[in-house]
Short mmCIF file of all heavy atoms in Angstrom, two decimals:
data_model
loop_
_atom_site.label_atom_id
_atom_site.label_comp_id
_atom_site.label_asym_id
_atom_site.label_seq_id
_atom_site.Cartn_x
_atom_site.Cartn_y
_atom_site.Cartn_z
N ILE W 586 -76.15 206.86 98.34
CA ILE W 586 -76.16 206.52 96.93
C ILE W 586 -77.50 206.98 96.36
O ILE W 586 -78.55 206.64 96.88
CB ILE W 586 -76.01 205.00 96.71
CG1 ILE W 586 -74.68 204.50 97.28
CG2 ILE W 586 -76.15 204.65 95.23
CD1 ILE W 586 -74.57 202.99 97.34
N THR W 587 -77.43 207.76 95.29
CA THR W 587 -78.64 208.19 94.60
C THR W 587 -78.52 207.75 93.15
O THR W 587 -77.49 207.98 92.50
CB THR W 587 -78.82 209.72 94.67
OG1 THR W 587 -78.82 210.14 96.04
CG2 THR W 587 -80.12 210.14 94.00
N LEU W 588 -79.57 207.12 92.67
CA LEU W 588 -79.65 206.72 91.28
C LEU W 588 -80.70 207.59 90.61
O LEU W 588 -81.86 207.62 91.04
CB LEU W 588 -80.03 205.24 91.16
CG LEU W 588 -79.96 204.66 89.76
CD1 LEU W 588 -78.50 204.49 89.33
CD2 LEU W 588 -80.68 203.33 89.69
N TYR W 589 -80.28 208.35 89.60
CA TYR W 589 -81.19 209.23 88.87
C TYR W 589 -81.59 208.56 87.56
O TYR W 589 -80.76 207.96 86.89
CB TYR W 589 -80.50 210.56 88.53
CG TYR W 589 -80.15 211.40 89.71
CD1 TYR W 589 -78.94 211.25 90.38
CD2 TYR W 589 -81.04 212.38 90.17
CE1 TYR W 589 -78.62 212.04 91.48
CE2 TYR W 589 -80.72 213.17 91.26
CZ TYR W 589 -79.51 212.99 91.91
OH TYR W 589 -79.20 213.78 92.98
N GLY W 590 -82.86 208.71 87.21
CA GLY W 590 -83.32 208.17 85.94
C GLY W 590 -84.82 208.22 85.86
O GLY W 590 -85.48 208.98 86.58
N ILE W 591 -85.36 207.41 84.96
CA ILE W 591 -86.80 207.25 84.84
C ILE W 591 -87.11 205.76 84.96
O ILE W 591 -86.36 204.92 84.46
CB ILE W 591 -87.36 207.86 83.54
CG1 ILE W 591 -86.64 207.33 82.31
CG2 ILE W 591 -87.27 209.37 83.57
CD1 ILE W 591 -87.20 207.84 80.99
N CYS W 594 -87.17 203.04 81.95
CA CYS W 594 -85.97 202.85 81.13
C CYS W 594 -85.35 201.49 81.45
O CYS W 594 -85.09 201.19 82.62
CB CYS W 594 -84.99 203.98 81.41
SG CYS W 594 -83.37 203.75 80.65
N THR W 596 -82.33 200.31 81.01
CA THR W 596 -81.01 200.38 81.63
C THR W 596 -81.13 200.80 83.09
O THR W 596 -80.40 200.29 83.94
CB THR W 596 -80.10 201.35 80.85
OG1 THR W 596 -80.16 201.03 79.46
CG2 THR W 596 -78.66 201.24 81.31
N VAL W 597 -82.06 201.68 83.39
CA VAL W 597 -82.30 202.07 84.78
C VAL W 597 -82.82 200.87 85.57
O VAL W 597 -82.39 200.62 86.70
CB VAL W 597 -83.28 203.27 84.85
CG1 VAL W 597 -83.72 203.54 86.29
CG2 VAL W 597 -82.65 204.51 84.25
N LYS W 598 -83.72 200.10 84.97
CA LYS W 598 -84.24 198.90 85.64
C LYS W 598 -83.11 197.93 85.97
O LYS W 598 -83.07 197.38 87.07
CB LYS W 598 -85.26 198.20 84.75
CG LYS W 598 -86.59 198.91 84.63
CD LYS W 598 -87.50 198.14 83.68
CE LYS W 598 -88.77 198.91 83.38
NZ LYS W 598 -89.59 198.24 82.36
N ALA W 600 -79.93 198.64 86.44
CA ALA W 600 -79.10 199.22 87.51
C ALA W 600 -79.79 199.07 88.86
O ALA W 600 -79.16 198.70 89.86
CB ALA W 600 -78.82 200.69 87.22
N ARG W 601 -81.09 199.32 88.91
CA ARG W 601 -81.84 199.19 90.17
C ARG W 601 -81.82 197.74 90.65
O ARG W 601 -81.64 197.48 91.85
CB ARG W 601 -83.27 199.69 89.99
CG ARG W 601 -83.36 201.18 89.78
CD ARG W 601 -84.77 201.64 89.47
NE ARG W 601 -85.58 201.67 90.69
CZ ARG W 601 -86.83 202.10 90.72
NH1 ARG W 601 -87.43 202.50 89.61
NH2 ARG W 601 -87.50 202.12 91.85
N LEU W 604 -78.29 196.91 92.01
CA LEU W 604 -78.08 197.49 93.34
C LEU W 604 -78.85 196.72 94.41
O LEU W 604 -78.32 196.44 95.48
CB LEU W 604 -78.49 198.97 93.34
CG LEU W 604 -77.59 199.91 92.55
CD1 LEU W 604 -78.26 201.26 92.35
CD2 LEU W 604 -76.23 200.07 93.23
N PHE W 611 -80.00 202.50 98.34
CA PHE W 611 -79.92 203.67 97.48
C PHE W 611 -81.27 204.35 97.42
O PHE W 611 -82.30 203.76 97.74
CB PHE W 611 -79.46 203.29 96.07
CG PHE W 611 -80.45 202.45 95.30
CD1 PHE W 611 -81.30 203.04 94.36
CD2 PHE W 611 -80.53 201.08 95.49
CE1 PHE W 611 -82.22 202.28 93.65
CE2 PHE W 611 -81.43 200.30 94.78
CZ PHE W 611 -82.29 200.90 93.86
N VAL W 612 -81.22 205.60 97.02
CA VAL W 612 -82.43 206.38 96.80
C VAL W 612 -82.59 206.50 95.29
O VAL W 612 -81.63 206.81 94.58
CB VAL W 612 -82.29 207.79 97.42
CG1 VAL W 612 -83.47 208.67 97.05
CG2 VAL W 612 -82.13 207.69 98.92
N PHE W 613 -83.80 206.25 94.80
CA PHE W 613 -84.06 206.43 93.38
C PHE W 613 -84.74 207.77 93.18
O PHE W 613 -85.74 208.07 93.82
CB PHE W 613 -84.95 205.30 92.82
CG PHE W 613 -85.26 205.49 91.37
CD1 PHE W 613 -84.26 205.38 90.41
CD2 PHE W 613 -86.54 205.80 90.95
CE1 PHE W 613 -84.53 205.58 89.06
CE2 PHE W 613 -86.82 205.99 89.61
CZ PHE W 613 -85.82 205.88 88.66
N HIS W 614 -84.18 208.57 92.29
CA HIS W 614 -84.73 209.89 91.98
C HIS W 614 -85.26 209.85 90.55
O HIS W 614 -84.49 209.83 89.59
CB HIS W 614 -83.66 210.97 92.13
CG HIS W 614 -84.18 212.35 91.91
ND1 HIS W 614 -84.40 213.22 92.94
CD2 HIS W 614 -84.51 213.01 90.78
CE1 HIS W 614 -84.85 214.37 92.44
NE2 HIS W 614 -84.93 214.26 91.13
N ASP W 615 -86.57 209.81 90.42
CA ASP W 615 -87.24 209.83 89.12
C ASP W 615 -87.28 211.28 88.65
O ASP W 615 -88.07 212.07 89.13
CB ASP W 615 -88.65 209.25 89.27
CG ASP W 615 -89.46 209.27 87.99
OD1 ASP W 615 -89.07 209.96 87.02
OD2 ASP W 615 -90.50 208.59 87.96
N PHE W 616 -86.39 211.63 87.72
CA PHE W 616 -86.30 213.04 87.38
C PHE W 616 -87.43 213.53 86.49
O PHE W 616 -87.57 214.73 86.28
CB PHE W 616 -84.92 213.47 86.87
CG PHE W 616 -84.30 212.68 85.76
CD1 PHE W 616 -84.89 212.53 84.53
CD2 PHE W 616 -83.05 212.11 85.96
CE1 PHE W 616 -84.27 211.85 83.51
CE2 PHE W 616 -82.42 211.42 84.95
CZ PHE W 616 -83.04 211.29 83.72
N LEU W 621 -85.74 218.11 88.40
CA LEU W 621 -84.32 218.38 88.62
C LEU W 621 -84.16 219.87 88.85
O LEU W 621 -84.86 220.67 88.26
CB LEU W 621 -83.50 217.98 87.39
CG LEU W 621 -83.33 216.50 87.14
CD1 LEU W 621 -82.68 216.28 85.77
CD2 LEU W 621 -82.50 215.86 88.22
N ILE W 625 -78.57 220.74 90.88
CA ILE W 625 -78.21 219.33 90.68
C ILE W 625 -77.49 219.15 89.36
O ILE W 625 -76.41 218.55 89.30
CB ILE W 625 -79.48 218.42 90.73
CG1 ILE W 625 -80.02 218.34 92.16
CG2 ILE W 625 -79.17 217.02 90.19
CD1 ILE W 625 -81.37 217.62 92.27
N VAL W 626 -78.06 219.67 88.29
CA VAL W 626 -77.46 219.49 86.95
C VAL W 626 -76.10 220.19 86.87
O VAL W 626 -75.14 219.63 86.35
CB VAL W 626 -78.42 219.98 85.85
CG1 VAL W 626 -77.78 219.85 84.48
CG2 VAL W 626 -79.74 219.19 85.89
N ALA W 627 -76.00 221.40 87.42
CA ALA W 627 -74.72 222.11 87.43
C ALA W 627 -73.68 221.33 88.23
O ALA W 627 -72.50 221.28 87.85
CB ALA W 627 -74.89 223.52 88.00
N GLY W 628 -74.11 220.68 89.31
CA GLY W 628 -73.20 219.84 90.10
C GLY W 628 -72.68 218.66 89.30
O GLY W 628 -71.49 218.31 89.39
N TRP W 629 -73.55 218.04 88.52
CA TRP W 629 -73.10 216.94 87.66
C TRP W 629 -72.02 217.41 86.69
O TRP W 629 -71.03 216.73 86.45
CB TRP W 629 -74.26 216.37 86.86
CG TRP W 629 -75.33 215.70 87.64
CD1 TRP W 629 -75.29 215.27 88.94
CD2 TRP W 629 -76.65 215.39 87.18
NE1 TRP W 629 -76.49 214.71 89.30
CE2 TRP W 629 -77.34 214.78 88.24
CE3 TRP W 629 -77.32 215.60 85.97
CZ2 TRP W 629 -78.66 214.34 88.12
CZ3 TRP W 629 -78.62 215.16 85.86
CH2 TRP W 629 -79.29 214.53 86.92
N LEU W 630 -72.23 218.62 86.15
CA LEU W 630 -71.29 219.14 85.15
C LEU W 630 -69.93 219.50 85.73
O LEU W 630 -68.98 219.71 84.98
CB LEU W 630 -71.91 220.36 84.44
CG LEU W 630 -72.97 219.99 83.40
CD1 LEU W 630 -73.78 221.22 83.00
CD2 LEU W 630 -72.35 219.33 82.18
N LYS W 631 -69.83 219.55 87.04
CA LYS W 631 -68.51 219.75 87.67
C LYS W 631 -67.69 218.46 87.61
O LYS W 631 -66.47 218.49 87.74
CB LYS W 631 -68.67 220.19 89.12
CG LYS W 631 -69.21 221.58 89.26
CD LYS W 631 -69.37 221.97 90.72
CE LYS W 631 -69.95 223.37 90.82
NZ LYS W 631 -70.26 223.73 92.20
N HIS W 632 -68.37 217.32 87.41
CA HIS W 632 -67.70 216.02 87.43
C HIS W 632 -67.77 215.30 86.09
O HIS W 632 -66.95 214.42 85.82
CB HIS W 632 -68.33 215.12 88.50
CG HIS W 632 -68.28 215.73 89.86
ND1 HIS W 632 -67.18 215.63 90.68
CD2 HIS W 632 -69.19 216.47 90.55
CE1 HIS W 632 -67.41 216.27 91.80
NE2 HIS W 632 -68.62 216.79 91.75
N LEU W 633 -68.76 215.63 85.29
CA LEU W 633 -68.98 214.95 84.01
C LEU W 633 -69.16 216.01 82.92
O LEU W 633 -69.79 217.03 83.15
CB LEU W 633 -70.25 214.09 84.07
CG LEU W 633 -70.29 212.99 85.13
CD1 LEU W 633 -71.72 212.52 85.34
CD2 LEU W 633 -69.39 211.84 84.71
N SER W 634 -68.65 215.75 81.75
CA SER W 634 -68.80 216.71 80.65
C SER W 634 -70.22 216.65 80.08
O SER W 634 -70.91 215.64 80.21
CB SER W 634 -67.79 216.43 79.54
OG SER W 634 -68.21 215.33 78.76
N ARG W 635 -70.63 217.73 79.45
CA ARG W 635 -71.95 217.74 78.84
C ARG W 635 -72.06 216.68 77.74
O ARG W 635 -73.13 216.17 77.48
CB ARG W 635 -72.32 219.13 78.32
CG ARG W 635 -71.46 219.65 77.21
CD ARG W 635 -71.88 221.06 76.79
NE ARG W 635 -70.97 221.62 75.82
CZ ARG W 635 -69.89 222.31 76.12
NH1 ARG W 635 -69.58 222.56 77.38
NH2 ARG W 635 -69.11 222.78 75.17
N VAL W 637 -70.94 213.73 77.94
CA VAL W 637 -71.27 212.48 78.63
C VAL W 637 -72.73 212.51 79.09
O VAL W 637 -73.44 211.51 78.99
CB VAL W 637 -70.33 212.26 79.84
CG1 VAL W 637 -70.81 211.12 80.72
CG2 VAL W 637 -68.91 211.99 79.36
N LEU W 638 -73.18 213.65 79.57
CA LEU W 638 -74.53 213.76 80.13
C LEU W 638 -75.64 213.81 79.09
O LEU W 638 -76.72 213.27 79.32
CB LEU W 638 -74.63 215.00 81.03
CG LEU W 638 -73.95 214.87 82.38
CD1 LEU W 638 -73.93 216.23 83.08
CD2 LEU W 638 -74.64 213.85 83.24
N VAL W 639 -75.40 214.47 77.98
CA VAL W 639 -76.44 214.63 76.97
C VAL W 639 -76.39 213.43 76.02
O VAL W 639 -75.39 213.18 75.36
CB VAL W 639 -76.28 215.96 76.19
CG1 VAL W 639 -77.30 216.05 75.07
CG2 VAL W 639 -76.41 217.15 77.13
N MET W 667 -81.24 220.15 79.56
CA MET W 667 -81.53 219.03 80.47
C MET W 667 -82.70 219.34 81.40
O MET W 667 -83.48 218.45 81.73
CB MET W 667 -80.28 218.64 81.25
CG MET W 667 -79.25 217.93 80.38
SD MET W 667 -77.81 217.35 81.30
CE MET W 667 -76.74 218.76 81.17
N PRO W 671 -85.67 216.47 80.46
CA PRO W 671 -84.87 215.52 81.24
C PRO W 671 -84.61 214.20 80.52
O PRO W 671 -83.61 213.53 80.79
CB PRO W 671 -85.70 215.29 82.50
CG PRO W 671 -86.61 216.45 82.59
CD PRO W 671 -86.85 216.92 81.19
N VAL W 673 -83.40 213.76 77.77
CA VAL W 673 -82.19 213.86 76.97
C VAL W 673 -80.95 213.46 77.78
O VAL W 673 -79.88 213.27 77.23
CB VAL W 673 -82.03 215.27 76.35
CG1 VAL W 673 -81.47 216.25 77.35
CG2 VAL W 673 -81.18 215.23 75.10
N ILE W 674 -81.11 213.29 79.09
CA ILE W 674 -79.98 212.94 79.96
C ILE W 674 -79.71 211.44 79.84
O ILE W 674 -80.62 210.62 79.93
CB ILE W 674 -80.28 213.30 81.42
CG1 ILE W 674 -80.55 214.80 81.55
CG2 ILE W 674 -79.14 212.86 82.35
CD1 ILE W 674 -81.13 215.21 82.90
N LYS W 675 -78.43 211.10 79.65
CA LYS W 675 -78.05 209.68 79.65
C LYS W 675 -78.36 209.11 81.01
O LYS W 675 -78.15 209.75 82.03
CB LYS W 675 -76.56 209.51 79.34
CG LYS W 675 -76.23 209.63 77.89
CD LYS W 675 -74.77 209.28 77.65
CE LYS W 675 -74.37 209.72 76.26
NZ LYS W 675 -72.92 209.64 76.07
N ARG W 676 -78.83 207.89 81.02
CA ARG W 676 -79.22 207.29 82.28
C ARG W 676 -78.86 205.82 82.31
O ARG W 676 -78.67 205.22 81.26
CB ARG W 676 -80.72 207.51 82.54
CG ARG W 676 -81.58 207.22 81.36
CD ARG W 676 -83.02 207.67 81.55
NE ARG W 676 -83.77 207.12 80.46
CZ ARG W 676 -84.04 207.77 79.35
NH1 ARG W 676 -83.69 209.01 79.20
NH2 ARG W 676 -84.70 207.18 78.38
N PRO W 677 -78.80 205.31 83.53
CA PRO W 677 -78.95 206.01 84.80
C PRO W 677 -77.71 206.83 85.13
O PRO W 677 -76.63 206.57 84.61
CB PRO W 677 -79.12 204.87 85.80
CG PRO W 677 -78.35 203.73 85.21
CD PRO W 677 -78.54 203.87 83.71
N LEU W 678 -77.91 207.77 86.02
CA LEU W 678 -76.80 208.54 86.55
C LEU W 678 -76.69 208.16 88.02
O LEU W 678 -77.65 208.29 88.77
CB LEU W 678 -77.04 210.04 86.41
CG LEU W 678 -75.83 210.90 86.75
CD1 LEU W 678 -75.78 212.14 85.85
CD2 LEU W 678 -75.80 211.31 88.19
N LEU W 679 -75.54 207.66 88.39
CA LEU W 679 -75.28 207.19 89.75
C LEU W 679 -74.42 208.20 90.49
O LEU W 679 -73.39 208.63 89.98
CB LEU W 679 -74.56 205.84 89.71
CG LEU W 679 -74.18 205.22 91.05
CD1 LEU W 679 -75.42 204.66 91.74
CD2 LEU W 679 -73.14 204.13 90.86
N ASP W 680 -74.88 208.59 91.66
CA ASP W 680 -74.11 209.46 92.55
C ASP W 680 -73.81 208.65 93.80
O ASP W 680 -74.68 208.39 94.62
CB ASP W 680 -74.92 210.71 92.89
CG ASP W 680 -74.24 211.62 93.92
OD1 ASP W 680 -73.16 211.26 94.43
OD2 ASP W 680 -74.81 212.68 94.21
N LYS W 681 -72.56 208.21 93.90
CA LYS W 681 -72.12 207.46 95.08
C LYS W 681 -71.19 208.38 95.86
O LYS W 681 -70.01 208.49 95.55
CB LYS W 681 -71.40 206.17 94.67
CG LYS W 681 -70.94 205.34 95.85
CD LYS W 681 -70.12 204.15 95.40
CE LYS W 681 -69.53 203.46 96.61
NZ LYS W 681 -68.31 202.73 96.25
N GLY W 683 -70.81 211.55 95.88
CA GLY W 683 -70.13 212.57 95.10
C GLY W 683 -69.27 212.05 93.97
O GLY W 683 -68.66 212.84 93.25
N ALA W 684 -69.21 210.75 93.78
CA ALA W 684 -68.53 210.16 92.63
C ALA W 684 -69.63 209.79 91.64
O ALA W 684 -70.57 209.09 92.00
CB ALA W 684 -67.72 208.93 93.03
N PHE W 685 -69.52 210.27 90.41
CA PHE W 685 -70.60 210.13 89.44
C PHE W 685 -70.25 209.17 88.32
O PHE W 685 -69.11 209.11 87.87
CB PHE W 685 -70.94 211.50 88.85
CG PHE W 685 -71.44 212.47 89.88
CD1 PHE W 685 -70.56 213.26 90.60
CD2 PHE W 685 -72.79 212.55 90.16
CE1 PHE W 685 -71.02 214.15 91.56
CE2 PHE W 685 -73.26 213.43 91.12
CZ PHE W 685 -72.37 214.22 91.82
N SER W 686 -71.27 208.45 87.88
CA SER W 686 -71.12 207.51 86.78
C SER W 686 -72.40 207.52 85.96
O SER W 686 -73.49 207.63 86.52
CB SER W 686 -70.87 206.11 87.35
OG SER W 686 -70.82 205.15 86.32
N VAL W 687 -72.26 207.40 84.65
CA VAL W 687 -73.41 207.41 83.75
C VAL W 687 -73.47 206.07 83.02
O VAL W 687 -72.45 205.53 82.61
CB VAL W 687 -73.31 208.56 82.73
CG1 VAL W 687 -74.44 208.50 81.72
CG2 VAL W 687 -73.32 209.90 83.45
N GLY W 688 -74.70 205.56 82.85
CA GLY W 688 -74.89 204.29 82.17
C GLY W 688 -74.83 203.14 83.15
O GLY W 688 -74.68 203.34 84.37
N PHE W 689 -74.96 201.95 82.63
CA PHE W 689 -74.89 200.77 83.49
C PHE W 689 -74.32 199.59 82.72
O PHE W 689 -74.71 199.33 81.59
CB PHE W 689 -76.26 200.37 84.02
CG PHE W 689 -76.24 199.02 84.70
CD1 PHE W 689 -75.75 198.90 85.99
CD2 PHE W 689 -76.62 197.87 84.03
CE1 PHE W 689 -75.67 197.66 86.61
CE2 PHE W 689 -76.55 196.62 84.64
CZ PHE W 689 -76.07 196.52 85.93
N GLN W 693 -69.03 197.68 85.08
CA GLN W 693 -68.90 199.07 85.55
C GLN W 693 -69.29 199.19 87.01
O GLN W 693 -68.57 199.77 87.82
CB GLN W 693 -69.80 199.95 84.67
CG GLN W 693 -69.89 201.40 85.08
CD GLN W 693 -70.97 202.15 84.29
OE1 GLN W 693 -71.70 201.55 83.50
NE2 GLN W 693 -71.06 203.43 84.51
N TYR W 694 -70.43 198.61 87.40
CA TYR W 694 -70.89 198.71 88.78
C TYR W 694 -70.02 197.85 89.70
O TYR W 694 -69.79 198.22 90.85
CB TYR W 694 -72.38 198.35 88.89
CG TYR W 694 -73.29 199.53 88.63
CD1 TYR W 694 -73.03 200.48 87.64
CD2 TYR W 694 -74.42 199.72 89.38
CE1 TYR W 694 -73.85 201.57 87.41
CE2 TYR W 694 -75.27 200.81 89.17
CZ TYR W 694 -74.97 201.72 88.19
OH TYR W 694 -75.79 202.81 87.98
N ILE W 697 -67.16 200.06 90.50
CA ILE W 697 -67.54 201.18 91.37
C ILE W 697 -67.72 200.71 92.81
O ILE W 697 -67.28 201.37 93.75
CB ILE W 697 -68.86 201.83 90.87
CG1 ILE W 697 -68.60 202.56 89.53
CG2 ILE W 697 -69.43 202.79 91.91
CD1 ILE W 697 -69.89 202.95 88.80
N PHE W 698 -68.35 199.57 93.00
CA PHE W 698 -68.70 199.13 94.34
C PHE W 698 -67.70 198.16 94.96
O PHE W 698 -67.66 198.02 96.17
CB PHE W 698 -70.11 198.52 94.35
CG PHE W 698 -71.17 199.56 94.18
CD1 PHE W 698 -71.66 199.90 92.93
CD2 PHE W 698 -71.66 200.25 95.28
CE1 PHE W 698 -72.63 200.88 92.77
CE2 PHE W 698 -72.63 201.24 95.13
CZ PHE W 698 -73.10 201.55 93.88
#
Side-chain angles (χ1 to χ4, degrees):
I586 299 169
T587 303
L588 188 72
Y589 294 88
I591 54 177
C594 172
T596 311
V597 171
K598 287 178 188 174
R601 291 175 77 176
L604 290 166
F611 68 99
V612 173
F613 178 67
H614 184 105
D615 178 345
F616 51 60
L621 288 171
I625 289 172
V626 178
W629 295 344
L630 284 165
K631 290 179 181 174
H632 303 276
L633 301 164
S634 78
R635 65 181 174 271
V637 169
L638 285 171
V639 176
M667 288 184 270
V673 80
I674 301 169
K675 281 186 194 170
R676 46 190 190 265
L678 189 145
L679 178 75
D680 174 357
K681 181 185 173 206
F685 297 88
S686 176
V687 175
F689 170 79
Q693 175 189 5
Y694 274 40
I697 291 167
F698 288 92

